[in-house]
Amino acid sequence: MCARADRIALLWFTCLIVGSCATPIAPTGGEPDRTAPQLLYTIPTDGSTGFTGDRIEIRFNEYVDLNSFRSALRFEPDLNITFSVRWRGTRAIVRLDEPLPANTTVVMVLETSLRDVRSNAIPAPIRIAFSSGDRIDKGEVNVKLTKPETGRRVENVNVFLYKSGTSLSEAATYTSQTDTGGYVRFRNLPADTFRMIAVSDLNRNRILDEPREQGYAFSQEFITVAEDSSYTFGEWFITRPDTVRPVMEGIGLMGPDRIRLRFSKSVEAGTGFLVSETDTLVIHPLHPESPSKTAWFYGTERPVTIGQRYSPFNLEIADSLDNPFFFTPMSMDAEELPDTIRLRYLYPEPRSTVEPTSPIEFVFSRNGPFLDYQDSLSIVADRQPFDAFTMVTLRNRLILTPDEAWPEGTTLTVRLLNPSSQVSSRPTIRVNRSSDKGDLAITAPDSTSTFIVELRTASGLLVKRQSGTNQLLIEDIPIGTYLVVGFVDANENNRFDAGSITPFVAPERMVMERNVVIRAGFEADLAFR
């Protein structure tokens, strides 16, 4: 009887220990929880003074992931504060190992990696400031970080502030990360002069570790924060010219006459060769595996020879900035594989557009023949049959060229019957009007250097690029809404220079205007100052 009672007691004790250590699990059932955890209160409260204890209490409205809390919690400035954390339901009890220095303002930060047990992360950092003295610092620094390629916020970049006298080889005095709008905000700073840089702090050690981590300079090396004042830097563009050469990272045989090549970055693929000891095959790109274009499917001019070991050679590969391809030897063994790739239509996407005299190129999953497609293909322009076009095939492409022009302003519906499935694809293609274009007159910033401007779509696709001084006129722009980005090319090298941190070199000046509307037959005006 005593032994049985002992076992029951041991079981209850084990359950108690396990229950107190495990990450809480939210109740199941009901609608899925998609709401981030909310802070209910802290002790001490935000803005309080005279804190002399070692206990901080933080309460949320729901259970949070304990591991994410521990990694998200930090203190500013960098005072090497160490602490322990215990939980009481939705309350975290933080114990400081040592008292705070006297007369010091400390900011307790919970970064956006904090999430609840359903993996809902907080949208912006939470900051609670308190002081061990009788006053609290109220200096502020604000900056917005933007990608000039898309006009959207920068992710995974922190801003570091180094107090005067602090080396860049040391941990940053203050750090802050972007919120969901791309804003970086520092609060409760003392009056001082700071060096400010932006860093992709991958290992979260508050130090710029080059070359593994990327650092970005601002237009000023130092900023001065006056007592209880706000310093607003405004919008800053985070970009760096891509000089990294694309590299082939993988090769695989996908069928008798089909291979897959994987690259280190997005590339445009051209023809090349596949060679073995006794065989040489011409290969040509069929289509990318995904819109990222980091992997491409290639077709061979004839099936590979089983038992041979093949290597790609003399590939025509380039990235969007024409960085030369860095060839790395790779090979594969040709083994017998079933041909499972069926002929199917891939591109263009539905609702694409075409100029009146431009051909329409249909891309398929593999090389032809396209006889069944050609026999069944028909075009309707706004419900009227249209047959004034010629059709040619080139490997895995079916190219339609108008005899004179596609009817302007119409929507072409192309009927493509898949012979293997007997299912029709009906992509629609809008024919632009010759008159559906406008111009953009740009006044460049005051400078004697060349001003380079780019027009991009909302997704970042480059539409036009032009350079000049003082006044620029960009003509024949398709109607639509654009992102306009320009920079002063101070060293006349035809590309943006992001400067450097050490030695300090300021980046070239960059400007941006969002939502520039181009209307048919009109000239829009845009002035950068």
Side-chain angles (χ1 to χ4, degrees):
M1 176 71 79
C2 290
R4 182 172 180 270
D6 289 344
R7 286 195 299 272
I8 293 175
L10 178 61
L11 177 62
W12 276 103
F13 179 75
T14 302
C15 292
L16 178 62
I17 295 297
V18 172
S20 65
C21 297
T23 297
I25 298 176
T28 59
E31 290 294 323
D33 176 16
R34 297 186 178 90
T35 304
Q38 298 178 12
L39 180 68
L40 297 182
Y41 67 78
T42 63
I43 302 174
T45 58
D46 184 32
S48 61
T49 58
F51 178 78
T52 57
D54 64 351
R55 183 181 187 273
I56 301 171
E57 183 176 328
I58 308 169
R59 184 164 188 176
F60 298 93
N61 67 330
E62 61 174 327
Y63 290 111
V64 302
D65 180 86
L66 307 189
N67 291 329
S68 75
F69 176 87
R70 190 64 177 81
S71 65
L73 178 62
R74 59 181 173 83
F75 291 90
E76 302 285 348
D78 181 36
L79 299 172
N80 294 318
I81 295 174
T82 57
F83 56 89
S84 59
V85 181
R86 296 192 67 183
W87 285 88
R88 298 288 185 272
T90 59
R91 290 185 303 144
I93 309 300
V94 179
R95 290 281 186 181
L96 305 181
D97 294 340
E98 296 181 3
L100 296 179
N103 301 314
T104 301
T105 296
V106 172
V107 181
M108 180 176 65
V109 183
L110 288 168
E111 296 182 329
T112 53
S113 55
L114 174 66
R115 60 184 187 274
D116 62 16
V117 294
R118 301 281 191 185
S119 295
N120 299 304
I122 60 175
I126 297 172
R127 295 178 176 86
I128 305 297
F130 51 93
S131 174
S132 58
D134 58 2
R135 69 176 304 276
I136 192 164
D137 295 323
K138 295 182 180 179
E140 299 181 1
V141 171
N142 302 285
V143 62
K144 183 181 181 181
L145 302 183
T146 301
K147 297 177 183 178
E149 298 84 2
T150 60
R152 298 171 184 166
R153 71 183 181 99
V154 171
E155 299 175 341
N156 302 320
V157 171
N158 286 35
V159 174
F160 288 1
L161 294 183
Y162 293 85
K163 200 171 181 178
S164 57
T166 304
S167 169
L168 291 181
S169 61
E170 303 176 51
T173 312
Y174 294 89
T175 74
S176 187
Q177 63 180 172
T178 55
D179 62 17
T180 54
Y183 291 93
V184 177
R185 298 178 172 90
F186 291 92
R187 299 288 184 268
N188 306 103
L189 296 173
D192 208 329
T193 297
F194 298 92
R195 175 180 286 176
M196 183 167 73
I197 63 174
V199 178
S200 55
D201 191 21
L202 302 177
N203 56 13
R204 298 166 56 89
N205 68 348
R206 307 166 69 102
I207 298 174
L208 172 58
D209 295 314
E210 294 180 311
R212 181 171 179 265
E213 295 177 340
Q214 190 78 61
Y216 305 88
F218 288 87
S219 59
Q220 300 170 228
E221 186 176 13
F222 296 98
I223 61 172
T224 299
V225 179
E227 184 174 339
D228 298 347
S229 68
S230 177
Y231 185 100
T232 300
F233 201 89
E235 187 171 29
W236 191 250
F237 305 105
I238 295 293
T239 186
R240 183 171 293 273
D242 180 6
T243 59
V244 179
R245 300 170 63 177
V247 178
M248 187 172 65
E249 295 185 335
I251 177 175
L253 184 65
M254 310 302 294
D257 57 357
R258 182 182 173 96
I259 65 171
R260 177 181 179 270
L261 299 182
R262 180 168 53 86
F263 301 94
S264 59
K265 60 191 302 189
S266 177
V267 298
E268 293 296 333
T271 58
F273 297 92
L274 201 62
V275 299
S276 68
E277 289 186 357
T278 60
D279 195 13
T280 298
L281 299 173
V282 177
I283 60 175
H284 57 268
L286 296 172
H287 59 87
E289 184 178 39
S290 68
S292 68
K293 295 187 177 182
T294 56
W296 282 78
F297 291 109
Y298 280 75
T300 61
E301 60 180 337
R302 52 182 168 77
V304 296
T305 302
I306 304 302
Q308 294 283 323
R309 189 170 184 82
Y310 287 93
S311 299
F313 177 71
N314 202 24
L315 295 173
E316 296 178 357
I317 300 294
D319 65 9
S320 59
L321 293 174
D322 292 327
N323 290 309
F325 177 56
F326 185 81
F327 179 74
T328 51
M330 286 190 176
S331 58
M332 66 174 187
D333 292 320
E335 55 184 345
E336 189 168 357
L337 293 176
D339 188 358
T340 59
I341 306 301
R342 61 186 180 89
L343 183 64
R344 58 190 178 89
Y345 157 73
L346 297 176
Y347 304 107
E349 299 287 350
R351 296 176 296 279
S352 299
T353 61
V354 67
E355 295 301 318
T357 58
S358 297
I360 301 174
E361 187 173 292
F362 292 94
V363 179
F364 292 83
S365 58
R366 57 176 300 164
N367 292 341
F370 297 107
L371 294 178
D372 292 328
Y373 276 97
Q374 291 172 278
D375 291 343
S376 63
L377 187 145
S378 62
I379 297 179
V380 174
D382 285 349
R383 301 184 180 180
Q384 297 297 320
F386 183 86
D387 56 10
F389 64 92
T390 57
M391 185 180 344
V392 298
T393 62
L394 178 65
R395 293 189 290 267
N396 68 318
R397 284 161 168 75
L398 186 61
I399 303 170
L400 310 182
T401 303
D403 294 345
E404 294 184 1
W406 306 114
E408 293 189 15
T410 63
T411 297
L412 304 179
T413 301
V414 184
R415 181 178 180 271
L416 292 167
L417 179 65
N418 188 332
S420 60
S421 64
Q422 295 299 306
V423 175
S424 291
S425 298
R426 296 176 181 267
T428 56
I429 302 170
R430 178 71 179 175
V431 182
N432 295 327
R433 295 181 186 272
S434 301
S435 59
D436 285 351
K437 294 181 180 180
D439 301 335
L440 177 61
I442 298 176
T443 302
D446 293 333
S447 174
T448 58
S449 301
T450 300
F451 183 66
I452 298 178
V453 65
E454 296 179 347
L455 270 69
R456 294 181 176 271
T457 64
S459 63
L461 179 65
L462 180 63
V463 177
K464 296 270 189 176
R465 191 177 197 264
Q466 193 163 315
S467 62
T469 56
N470 300 323
Q471 300 290 329
L472 290 80
L473 179 62
I474 305 177
E475 299 177 306
D476 296 329
I477 306 170
I479 58 174
T481 302
Y482 294 93
L483 173 73
V484 181
V485 181
F487 66 91
V488 177
D489 188 19
N491 61 0
E492 303 289 346
N493 66 348
N494 201 38
R495 65 191 304 168
F496 175 75
D497 292 294
S500 69
I501 295 174
T502 305
F504 175 76
V505 177
E508 292 177 326
R509 184 187 175 192
M510 181 174 284
V511 291
M512 174 183 291
E513 186 70 26
R514 298 173 175 84
N515 301 320
V516 176
V517 178
I518 302 299
R519 295 183 173 88
F522 286 87
E523 180 180 286
D525 293 306
L526 177 60
F528 290 113
R529 298 300 182 190

